[in-house]
Amino acid sequence: QVHLVQSGGGLVQTGGSLRLSCASSESLFLLNVVKWYRQAPEKQRELVASITSRGSTTYEDSVKGRFVTTRNTVNNTVFLQMNNLEPEDTAVYYCKAEKGSWGPPMEFWGQGTQVTVSS
């Protein structure tokens, strides 16, 4: 079992920045990948960014150049730095860890954190 505890988020004006944290109870080197999702009201949850056990990152097109995901492998925490925020970024943000080498990986979710961007 992997426990993920999220922190950060809050209310910010358009153009502002926020940083989300996702602290893992498991070493990041033992997780296949940590992904960031968001879910806006009445919308489906969407993948925003990811970072693999090797540190490779990917981003959804709408956040490229604005969001950066990094990690601290000493305290097993993944971060999502969000810059130049827009009202469309308003959502509940979740981190998810995937683990496993055989078959479908196990999935573990953080509790979610609200990000609100005012215009």
Side-chain angles (χ1 to χ4, degrees):
Q1 188 78 2
V2 178
H3 296 282
L4 301 176
V5 178
Q6 295 182 230
S7 59
L11 174 64
V12 67
Q13 292 185 331
T14 297
S17 298
L18 286 173
R19 189 177 81 157
L20 307 182
S21 299
C22 176
S24 170
S25 63
E26 182 78 80
S27 168
L28 297 180
F29 295 118
L30 299 181
L31 302 175
N32 300 357
V33 63
V34 174
K35 297 179 177 179
W36 291 96
Y37 289 81
R38 65 185 179 188
Q39 187 165 19
E42 302 180 357
K43 291 189 176 181
Q44 289 189 332
R45 192 171 295 189
E46 65 172 349
L47 177 62
V48 173
S50 65
I51 184 165
T52 70
S53 59
R54 297 186 177 184
S56 298
T57 58
T58 60
Y59 300 94
E60 192 268 332
D61 285 347
S62 69
V63 307
K64 282 181 181 177
R66 300 189 299 123
F67 290 12
V68 178
T69 185
T70 59
R71 63 181 186 169
N72 183 322
T73 56
V74 173
N75 60 20
N76 297 316
T77 301
V78 176
F79 304 97
L80 184 66
Q81 177 67 43
M82 305 183 294
N83 301 318
N84 194 20
L85 283 161
E86 305 166 350
E88 293 74 24
D89 296 317
T90 295
V92 177
Y93 284 72
Y94 300 89
C95 61
K96 183 184 80 170
E98 297 180 2
K99 179 180 179 181
S101 302
W102 300 95
M106 294 180 288
E107 298 181 345
F108 307 94
W109 289 89
Q111 80 276 20
T113 186
Q114 177 70 46
V115 170
T116 303
V117 184
S118 63
S119 56

mmCIF file of all heavy atoms in Angstrom, residues 23-66:
data_model
loop_
_atom_site.group_PDB
_atom_site.id
_atom_site.type_symbol
_atom_site.label_atom_id
_atom_site.label_comp_id
_atom_site.label_asym_id
_atom_site.label_seq_id
_atom_site.Cartn_x
_atom_site.Cartn_y
_atom_site.Cartn_z
ATOM 1 N N ALA A 23 3.380 13.847 -1.164
ATOM 2 C CA ALA A 23 4.355 13.086 -0.394
ATOM 3 C C ALA A 23 3.985 11.608 -0.392
ATOM 4 O O ALA A 23 2.856 11.244 -0.040
ATOM 5 C CB ALA A 23 4.423 13.616 1.033
ATOM 6 N N SER A 24 4.937 10.791 -0.770
ATOM 7 C CA SER A 24 4.703 9.348 -0.887
ATOM 8 C C SER A 24 5.307 8.603 0.296
ATOM 9 O O SER A 24 6.395 8.936 0.771
ATOM 10 C CB SER A 24 5.320 8.832 -2.183
ATOM 11 O OG SER A 24 5.322 7.425 -2.216
ATOM 12 N N SER A 25 4.601 7.550 0.735
ATOM 13 C CA SER A 25 5.140 6.688 1.786
ATOM 14 C C SER A 25 6.128 5.689 1.223
ATOM 15 O O SER A 25 6.830 5.008 1.969
ATOM 16 C CB SER A 25 3.994 5.943 2.484
ATOM 17 O OG SER A 25 3.317 5.084 1.568
ATOM 18 N N GLU A 26 6.186 5.605 -0.102
ATOM 19 C CA GLU A 26 7.056 4.661 -0.815
ATOM 20 C C GLU A 26 8.152 5.443 -1.518
ATOM 21 O O GLU A 26 7.937 6.571 -1.963
ATOM 22 C CB GLU A 26 6.229 3.886 -1.836
ATOM 23 C CG GLU A 26 6.980 2.848 -2.627
ATOM 24 C CD GLU A 26 7.217 1.585 -1.853
ATOM 25 O OE1 GLU A 26 6.283 0.761 -1.765
ATOM 26 O OE2 GLU A 26 8.325 1.433 -1.308
ATOM 27 N N SER A 27 9.289 4.833 -1.639
ATOM 28 C CA SER A 27 10.361 5.459 -2.394
ATOM 29 C C SER A 27 9.909 5.725 -3.829
ATOM 30 O O SER A 27 9.297 4.871 -4.475
ATOM 31 C CB SER A 27 11.584 4.557 -2.425
ATOM 32 O OG SER A 27 12.513 5.026 -3.381
ATOM 33 N N LEU A 28 10.205 6.884 -4.336
ATOM 34 C CA LEU A 28 9.818 7.231 -5.709
ATOM 35 C C LEU A 28 10.495 6.315 -6.724
ATOM 36 O O LEU A 28 9.973 6.121 -7.824
ATOM 37 C CB LEU A 28 10.155 8.689 -6.007
ATOM 38 C CG LEU A 28 9.414 9.731 -5.158
ATOM 39 C CD1 LEU A 28 9.836 11.141 -5.568
ATOM 40 C CD2 LEU A 28 7.909 9.567 -5.266
ATOM 41 N N PHE A 29 11.619 5.746 -6.362
ATOM 42 C CA PHE A 29 12.323 4.848 -7.282
ATOM 43 C C PHE A 29 11.578 3.520 -7.445
ATOM 44 O O PHE A 29 11.820 2.784 -8.401
ATOM 45 C CB PHE A 29 13.743 4.590 -6.784
ATOM 46 C CG PHE A 29 14.614 5.817 -6.776
ATOM 47 C CD1 PHE A 29 15.142 6.304 -5.591
ATOM 48 C CD2 PHE A 29 14.905 6.490 -7.955
ATOM 49 C CE1 PHE A 29 15.939 7.442 -5.576
ATOM 50 C CE2 PHE A 29 15.699 7.619 -7.952
ATOM 51 C CZ PHE A 29 16.223 8.100 -6.761
ATOM 52 N N LEU A 30 10.672 3.210 -6.510
ATOM 53 C CA LEU A 30 9.916 1.961 -6.570
ATOM 54 C C LEU A 30 8.546 2.144 -7.221
ATOM 55 O O LEU A 30 7.789 1.182 -7.353
ATOM 56 C CB LEU A 30 9.761 1.378 -5.167
ATOM 57 C CG LEU A 30 11.063 1.031 -4.446
ATOM 58 C CD1 LEU A 30 10.772 0.451 -3.074
ATOM 59 C CD2 LEU A 30 11.893 0.060 -5.272
ATOM 60 N N LEU A 31 8.231 3.365 -7.574
ATOM 61 C CA LEU A 31 6.965 3.638 -8.252
ATOM 62 C C LEU A 31 7.211 3.764 -9.749
ATOM 63 O O LEU A 31 8.190 4.383 -10.167
ATOM 64 C CB LEU A 31 6.349 4.930 -7.713
ATOM 65 C CG LEU A 31 6.072 4.970 -6.209
ATOM 66 C CD1 LEU A 31 5.572 6.349 -5.802
ATOM 67 C CD2 LEU A 31 5.081 3.889 -5.823
ATOM 68 N N ASN A 32 6.329 3.207 -10.550
ATOM 69 C CA ASN A 32 6.497 3.316 -12.007
ATOM 70 C C ASN A 32 6.434 4.783 -12.429
ATOM 71 O O ASN A 32 7.233 5.264 -13.234
ATOM 72 C CB ASN A 32 5.396 2.559 -12.729
ATOM 73 C CG ASN A 32 5.374 1.086 -12.386
ATOM 74 O OD1 ASN A 32 6.224 0.591 -11.645
ATOM 75 N ND2 ASN A 32 4.382 0.384 -12.897
ATOM 76 N N VAL A 33 5.465 5.473 -11.896
ATOM 77 C CA VAL A 33 5.213 6.844 -12.310
ATOM 78 C C VAL A 33 4.307 7.510 -11.279
ATOM 79 O O VAL A 33 3.535 6.837 -10.582
ATOM 80 C CB VAL A 33 4.561 6.878 -13.711
ATOM 81 C CG1 VAL A 33 3.195 6.197 -13.699
ATOM 82 C CG2 VAL A 33 4.445 8.297 -14.263
ATOM 83 N N VAL A 34 4.431 8.805 -11.153
ATOM 84 C CA VAL A 34 3.477 9.611 -10.392
ATOM 85 C C VAL A 34 2.835 10.580 -11.361
ATOM 86 O O VAL A 34 3.537 11.277 -12.115
ATOM 87 C CB VAL A 34 4.151 10.366 -9.231
ATOM 88 C CG1 VAL A 34 3.140 11.298 -8.553
ATOM 89 C CG2 VAL A 34 4.727 9.387 -8.218
ATOM 90 N N LYS A 35 1.528 10.574 -11.355
ATOM 91 C CA LYS A 35 0.786 11.413 -12.299
ATOM 92 C C LYS A 35 -0.028 12.463 -11.562
ATOM 93 O O LYS A 35 -0.497 12.217 -10.453
ATOM 94 C CB LYS A 35 -0.149 10.538 -13.146
ATOM 95 C CG LYS A 35 0.581 9.523 -14.006
ATOM 96 C CD LYS A 35 -0.402 8.675 -14.808
ATOM 97 C CE LYS A 35 0.342 7.705 -15.722
ATOM 98 N NZ LYS A 35 -0.592 6.850 -16.502
ATOM 99 N N TRP A 36 -0.210 13.588 -12.204
ATOM 100 C CA TRP A 36 -1.069 14.650 -11.717
ATOM 101 C C TRP A 36 -2.310 14.722 -12.602
ATOM 102 O O TRP A 36 -2.192 14.828 -13.823
ATOM 103 C CB TRP A 36 -0.358 15.994 -11.735
ATOM 104 C CG TRP A 36 0.752 16.117 -10.745
ATOM 105 C CD1 TRP A 36 2.079 15.924 -10.958
ATOM 106 C CD2 TRP A 36 0.620 16.463 -9.355
ATOM 107 N NE1 TRP A 36 2.783 16.138 -9.806
ATOM 108 C CE2 TRP A 36 1.912 16.477 -8.804
ATOM 109 C CE3 TRP A 36 -0.461 16.779 -8.534
ATOM 110 C CZ2 TRP A 36 2.161 16.780 -7.457
ATOM 111 C CZ3 TRP A 36 -0.221 17.088 -7.205
ATOM 112 C CH2 TRP A 36 1.065 17.088 -6.680
ATOM 113 N N TYR A 37 -3.463 14.706 -11.958
ATOM 114 C CA TYR A 37 -4.740 14.849 -12.650
ATOM 115 C C TYR A 37 -5.462 16.065 -12.071
ATOM 116 O O TYR A 37 -5.162 16.529 -10.970
ATOM 117 C CB TYR A 37 -5.633 13.623 -12.415
ATOM 118 C CG TYR A 37 -5.194 12.368 -13.114
ATOM 119 C CD1 TYR A 37 -4.184 11.570 -12.577
ATOM 120 C CD2 TYR A 37 -5.807 11.947 -14.289
ATOM 121 C CE1 TYR A 37 -3.793 10.402 -13.206
ATOM 122 C CE2 TYR A 37 -5.426 10.779 -14.925
ATOM 123 C CZ TYR A 37 -4.421 10.015 -14.377
ATOM 124 O OH TYR A 37 -4.041 8.852 -15.007
ATOM 125 N N ARG A 38 -6.450 16.522 -12.819
ATOM 126 C CA ARG A 38 -7.330 17.544 -12.286
ATOM 127 C C ARG A 38 -8.759 17.276 -12.761
ATOM 128 O O ARG A 38 -8.980 16.687 -13.810
ATOM 129 C CB ARG A 38 -6.897 18.947 -12.707
ATOM 130 C CG ARG A 38 -6.975 19.232 -14.195
ATOM 131 C CD ARG A 38 -6.398 20.605 -14.493
ATOM 132 N NE ARG A 38 -6.430 20.921 -15.916
ATOM 133 C CZ ARG A 38 -5.848 21.994 -16.449
ATOM 134 N NH1 ARG A 38 -5.181 22.855 -15.675
ATOM 135 N NH2 ARG A 38 -5.928 22.201 -17.753
ATOM 136 N N GLN A 39 -9.685 17.731 -11.949
ATOM 137 C CA GLN A 39 -11.092 17.570 -12.291
ATOM 138 C C GLN A 39 -11.828 18.852 -11.962
ATOM 139 O O GLN A 39 -11.934 19.233 -10.786
ATOM 140 C CB GLN A 39 -11.711 16.393 -11.550
ATOM 141 C CG GLN A 39 -13.125 16.085 -12.003
ATOM 142 C CD GLN A 39 -13.600 14.725 -11.552
ATOM 143 O OE1 GLN A 39 -13.058 14.117 -10.630
ATOM 144 N NE2 GLN A 39 -14.618 14.216 -12.222
ATOM 145 N N ALA A 40 -12.316 19.492 -13.009
ATOM 146 C CA ALA A 40 -13.117 20.698 -12.851
ATOM 147 C C ALA A 40 -14.582 20.299 -12.668
ATOM 148 O O ALA A 40 -14.976 19.190 -13.052
ATOM 149 C CB ALA A 40 -12.946 21.602 -14.060
ATOM 150 N N PRO A 41 -15.378 21.177 -12.107
ATOM 151 C CA PRO A 41 -16.798 20.866 -11.910
ATOM 152 C C PRO A 41 -17.471 20.444 -13.208
ATOM 153 O O PRO A 41 -17.278 21.083 -14.248
ATOM 154 C CB PRO A 41 -17.375 22.178 -11.378
ATOM 155 C CG PRO A 41 -16.232 22.857 -10.720
ATOM 156 C CD PRO A 41 -15.024 22.495 -11.552
ATOM 157 N N GLU A 42 -18.192 19.346 -13.150
ATOM 158 C CA GLU A 42 -18.954 18.826 -14.284
ATOM 159 C C GLU A 42 -18.075 18.435 -15.465
ATOM 160 O O GLU A 42 -18.560 18.362 -16.600
ATOM 161 C CB GLU A 42 -20.033 19.821 -14.716
ATOM 162 C CG GLU A 42 -21.019 20.162 -13.602
ATOM 163 C CD GLU A 42 -22.083 21.139 -14.056
ATOM 164 O OE1 GLU A 42 -22.028 21.602 -15.200
ATOM 165 O OE2 GLU A 42 -22.979 21.424 -13.245
ATOM 166 N N LYS A 43 -16.821 18.180 -15.227
ATOM 167 C CA LYS A 43 -15.915 17.723 -16.276
ATOM 168 C C LYS A 43 -15.232 16.436 -15.848
ATOM 169 O O LYS A 43 -15.145 16.133 -14.651
ATOM 170 C CB LYS A 43 -14.868 18.787 -16.600
ATOM 171 C CG LYS A 43 -15.440 20.024 -17.286
ATOM 172 C CD LYS A 43 -14.335 20.936 -17.771
ATOM 173 C CE LYS A 43 -14.894 22.122 -18.535
ATOM 174 N NZ LYS A 43 -13.809 23.022 -19.048
ATOM 175 N N GLN A 44 -14.732 15.718 -16.828
ATOM 176 C CA GLN A 44 -14.025 14.493 -16.520
ATOM 177 C C GLN A 44 -12.638 14.800 -15.974
ATOM 178 O O GLN A 44 -12.046 15.842 -16.278
ATOM 179 C CB GLN A 44 -13.913 13.622 -17.781
ATOM 180 C CG GLN A 44 -15.224 13.013 -18.225
ATOM 181 C CD GLN A 44 -15.042 11.991 -19.336
ATOM 182 O OE1 GLN A 44 -14.106 12.085 -20.115
ATOM 183 N NE2 GLN A 44 -15.924 11.025 -19.389
ATOM 184 N N ARG A 45 -12.146 13.870 -15.187
ATOM 185 C CA ARG A 45 -10.787 14.011 -14.687
ATOM 186 C C ARG A 45 -9.819 13.898 -15.855
ATOM 187 O O ARG A 45 -9.962 13.027 -16.709
ATOM 188 C CB ARG A 45 -10.507 12.935 -13.637
ATOM 189 C CG ARG A 45 -9.253 13.128 -12.840
ATOM 190 C CD ARG A 45 -9.182 12.143 -11.689
ATOM 191 N NE ARG A 45 -10.250 12.378 -10.715
ATOM 192 C CZ ARG A 45 -10.311 11.761 -9.534
ATOM 193 N NH1 ARG A 45 -9.384 10.876 -9.196
ATOM 194 N NH2 ARG A 45 -11.313 12.010 -8.708
ATOM 195 N N GLU A 46 -8.823 14.780 -15.896
ATOM 196 C CA GLU A 46 -7.862 14.764 -16.993
ATOM 197 C C GLU A 46 -6.437 14.717 -16.463
ATOM 198 O O GLU A 46 -6.123 15.287 -15.406
ATOM 199 C CB GLU A 46 -8.044 15.990 -17.900
ATOM 200 C CG GLU A 46 -7.750 17.324 -17.257
ATOM 201 C CD GLU A 46 -7.760 18.473 -18.255
ATOM 202 O OE1 GLU A 46 -7.793 18.235 -19.477
ATOM 203 O OE2 GLU A 46 -7.713 19.629 -17.780
ATOM 204 N N LEU A 47 -5.598 14.041 -17.234
ATOM 205 C CA LEU A 47 -4.184 13.940 -16.896
ATOM 206 C C LEU A 47 -3.492 15.252 -17.249
ATOM 207 O O LEU A 47 -3.661 15.779 -18.352
ATOM 208 C CB LEU A 47 -3.549 12.779 -17.663
ATOM 209 C CG LEU A 47 -2.066 12.558 -17.481
ATOM 210 C CD1 LEU A 47 -1.735 12.223 -16.030
ATOM 211 C CD2 LEU A 47 -1.596 11.432 -18.412
ATOM 212 N N VAL A 48 -2.716 15.753 -16.314
ATOM 213 C CA VAL A 48 -2.046 17.044 -16.498
ATOM 214 C C VAL A 48 -0.550 16.861 -16.729
ATOM 215 O O VAL A 48 0.028 17.482 -17.625
ATOM 216 C CB VAL A 48 -2.284 17.937 -15.270
ATOM 217 C CG1 VAL A 48 -1.461 19.220 -15.365
ATOM 218 C CG2 VAL A 48 -3.761 18.269 -15.131
ATOM 219 N N ALA A 49 0.071 16.037 -15.908
ATOM 220 C CA ALA A 49 1.516 15.868 -15.993
ATOM 221 C C ALA A 49 1.892 14.548 -15.344
ATOM 222 O O ALA A 49 1.112 13.969 -14.569
ATOM 223 C CB ALA A 49 2.239 17.025 -15.308
ATOM 224 N N SER A 50 3.104 14.090 -15.640
ATOM 225 C CA SER A 50 3.584 12.861 -15.019
ATOM 226 C C SER A 50 5.092 12.912 -14.896
ATOM 227 O O SER A 50 5.776 13.633 -15.640
ATOM 228 C CB SER A 50 3.158 11.645 -15.824
ATOM 229 O OG SER A 50 3.772 11.649 -17.096
ATOM 230 N N ILE A 51 5.592 12.117 -13.954
ATOM 231 C CA ILE A 51 7.038 11.985 -13.781
ATOM 232 C C ILE A 51 7.329 10.537 -13.435
ATOM 233 O O ILE A 51 6.714 9.964 -12.531
ATOM 234 C CB ILE A 51 7.573 12.965 -12.710
ATOM 235 C CG1 ILE A 51 9.094 12.888 -12.623
ATOM 236 C CG2 ILE A 51 6.904 12.763 -11.358
ATOM 237 C CD1 ILE A 51 9.720 14.062 -11.876
ATOM 238 N N THR A 52 8.242 9.934 -14.170
ATOM 239 C CA THR A 52 8.518 8.510 -13.997
ATOM 240 C C THR A 52 9.561 8.280 -12.908
ATOM 241 O O THR A 52 10.141 9.227 -12.363
ATOM 242 C CB THR A 52 9.031 7.900 -15.298
ATOM 243 O OG1 THR A 52 10.357 8.402 -15.550
ATOM 244 C CG2 THR A 52 8.124 8.228 -16.466
ATOM 245 N N SER A 53 9.808 6.995 -12.637
ATOM 246 C CA SER A 53 10.811 6.633 -11.635
ATOM 247 C C SER A 53 12.193 7.112 -12.044
ATOM 248 O O SER A 53 13.071 7.278 -11.194
ATOM 249 C CB SER A 53 10.811 5.129 -11.415
ATOM 250 O OG SER A 53 11.088 4.457 -12.632
ATOM 251 N N ARG A 54 12.386 7.326 -13.313
ATOM 252 C CA ARG A 54 13.679 7.803 -13.809
ATOM 253 C C ARG A 54 13.726 9.318 -13.926
ATOM 254 O O ARG A 54 14.741 9.876 -14.335
ATOM 255 C CB ARG A 54 14.005 7.167 -15.163
ATOM 256 C CG ARG A 54 14.165 5.674 -15.096
ATOM 257 C CD ARG A 54 14.634 5.106 -16.420
ATOM 258 N NE ARG A 54 14.856 3.660 -16.332
ATOM 259 C CZ ARG A 54 15.349 2.936 -17.333
ATOM 260 N NH1 ARG A 54 15.666 3.501 -18.474
ATOM 261 N NH2 ARG A 54 15.514 1.636 -17.175
ATOM 262 N N GLY A 55 12.598 9.956 -13.637
ATOM 263 C CA GLY A 55 12.570 11.412 -13.680
ATOM 264 C C GLY A 55 12.122 12.005 -14.988
ATOM 265 O O GLY A 55 12.146 13.240 -15.162
ATOM 266 N N SER A 56 11.687 11.178 -15.923
ATOM 267 C CA SER A 56 11.175 11.692 -17.184
ATOM 268 C C SER A 56 9.793 12.298 -16.980
ATOM 269 O O SER A 56 8.982 11.741 -16.227
ATOM 270 C CB SER A 56 11.098 10.579 -18.221
ATOM 271 O OG SER A 56 12.367 10.048 -18.488
ATOM 272 N N THR A 57 9.536 13.393 -17.671
ATOM 273 C CA THR A 57 8.269 14.104 -17.466
ATOM 274 C C THR A 57 7.487 14.245 -18.766
ATOM 275 O O THR A 57 8.055 14.283 -19.861
ATOM 276 C CB THR A 57 8.508 15.504 -16.887
ATOM 277 O OG1 THR A 57 9.365 16.243 -17.777
ATOM 278 C CG2 THR A 57 9.168 15.425 -15.514
ATOM 279 N N THR A 58 6.182 14.325 -18.636
ATOM 280 C CA THR A 58 5.292 14.621 -19.762
ATOM 281 C C THR A 58 4.240 15.607 -19.283
ATOM 282 O O THR A 58 3.931 15.663 -18.075
ATOM 283 C CB THR A 58 4.598 13.366 -20.305
ATOM 284 O OG1 THR A 58 3.813 12.780 -19.265
ATOM 285 C CG2 THR A 58 5.607 12.342 -20.809
ATOM 286 N N TYR A 59 3.668 16.351 -20.235
ATOM 287 C CA TYR A 59 2.674 17.370 -19.906
ATOM 288 C C TYR A 59 1.550 17.379 -20.929
ATOM 289 O O TYR A 59 1.772 17.163 -22.117
ATOM 290 C CB TYR A 59 3.323 18.757 -19.864
ATOM 291 C CG TYR A 59 4.430 18.862 -18.848
ATOM 292 C CD1 TYR A 59 5.754 18.644 -19.203
ATOM 293 C CD2 TYR A 59 4.135 19.154 -17.519
ATOM 294 C CE1 TYR A 59 6.771 18.716 -18.265
ATOM 295 C CE2 TYR A 59 5.141 19.234 -16.571
ATOM 296 C CZ TYR A 59 6.458 19.011 -16.956
ATOM 297 O OH TYR A 59 7.449 19.081 -16.007
ATOM 298 N N GLU A 60 0.368 17.673 -20.439
ATOM 299 C CA GLU A 60 -0.770 17.896 -21.311
ATOM 300 C C GLU A 60 -0.541 19.223 -22.029
ATOM 301 O O GLU A 60 0.058 20.147 -21.484
ATOM 302 C CB GLU A 60 -2.041 17.924 -20.466
ATOM 303 C CG GLU A 60 -3.330 17.859 -21.243
ATOM 304 C CD GLU A 60 -3.871 19.223 -21.571
ATOM 305 O OE1 GLU A 60 -3.598 20.169 -20.790
ATOM 306 O OE2 GLU A 60 -4.542 19.367 -22.607
ATOM 307 N N ASP A 61 -1.022 19.316 -23.271
ATOM 308 C CA ASP A 61 -0.701 20.472 -24.108
ATOM 309 C C ASP A 61 -1.063 21.816 -23.474
ATOM 310 O O ASP A 61 -0.320 22.798 -23.600
ATOM 311 C CB ASP A 61 -1.416 20.348 -25.457
ATOM 312 C CG ASP A 61 -0.772 19.320 -26.363
ATOM 313 O OD1 ASP A 61 0.362 18.889 -26.064
ATOM 314 O OD2 ASP A 61 -1.402 18.927 -27.360
ATOM 315 N N SER A 62 -2.191 21.877 -22.804
ATOM 316 C CA SER A 62 -2.644 23.169 -22.296
ATOM 317 C C SER A 62 -1.800 23.707 -21.146
ATOM 318 O O SER A 62 -1.904 24.893 -20.793
ATOM 319 C CB SER A 62 -4.105 23.084 -21.849
ATOM 320 O OG SER A 62 -4.225 22.286 -20.685
ATOM 321 N N VAL A 63 -0.956 22.871 -20.555
ATOM 322 C CA VAL A 63 -0.133 23.321 -19.435
ATOM 323 C C VAL A 63 1.345 23.379 -19.776
ATOM 324 O O VAL A 63 2.148 23.838 -18.958
ATOM 325 C CB VAL A 63 -0.342 22.439 -18.172
ATOM 326 C CG1 VAL A 63 -1.822 22.339 -17.829
ATOM 327 C CG2 VAL A 63 0.288 21.070 -18.339
ATOM 328 N N LYS A 64 1.701 22.943 -20.971
ATOM 329 C CA LYS A 64 3.113 22.982 -21.369
ATOM 330 C C LYS A 64 3.626 24.415 -21.325
ATOM 331 O O LYS A 64 2.977 25.343 -21.799
ATOM 332 C CB LYS A 64 3.281 22.409 -22.773
ATOM 333 C CG LYS A 64 3.239 20.899 -22.835
ATOM 334 C CD LYS A 64 3.428 20.403 -24.271
ATOM 335 C CE LYS A 64 3.365 18.890 -24.334
ATOM 336 N NZ LYS A 64 3.472 18.382 -25.718
ATOM 337 N N GLY A 65 4.806 24.563 -20.752
ATOM 338 C CA GLY A 65 5.388 25.884 -20.625
ATOM 339 C C GLY A 65 4.923 26.647 -19.396
ATOM 340 O O GLY A 65 5.475 27.696 -19.070
ATOM 341 N N ARG A 66 3.881 26.135 -18.712
ATOM 342 C CA ARG A 66 3.384 26.803 -17.503
ATOM 343 C C ARG A 66 3.545 25.937 -16.256
ATOM 344 O O ARG A 66 3.809 26.459 -15.172
ATOM 345 C CB ARG A 66 1.905 27.156 -17.672
ATOM 346 C CG ARG A 66 1.618 28.077 -18.835
ATOM 347 C CD ARG A 66 0.170 28.564 -18.812
ATOM 348 N NE ARG A 66 -0.795 27.479 -18.917
ATOM 349 C CZ ARG A 66 -1.745 27.232 -18.037
ATOM 350 N NH1 ARG A 66 -1.881 27.987 -16.964
ATOM 351 N NH2 ARG A 66 -2.591 26.218 -18.215
#
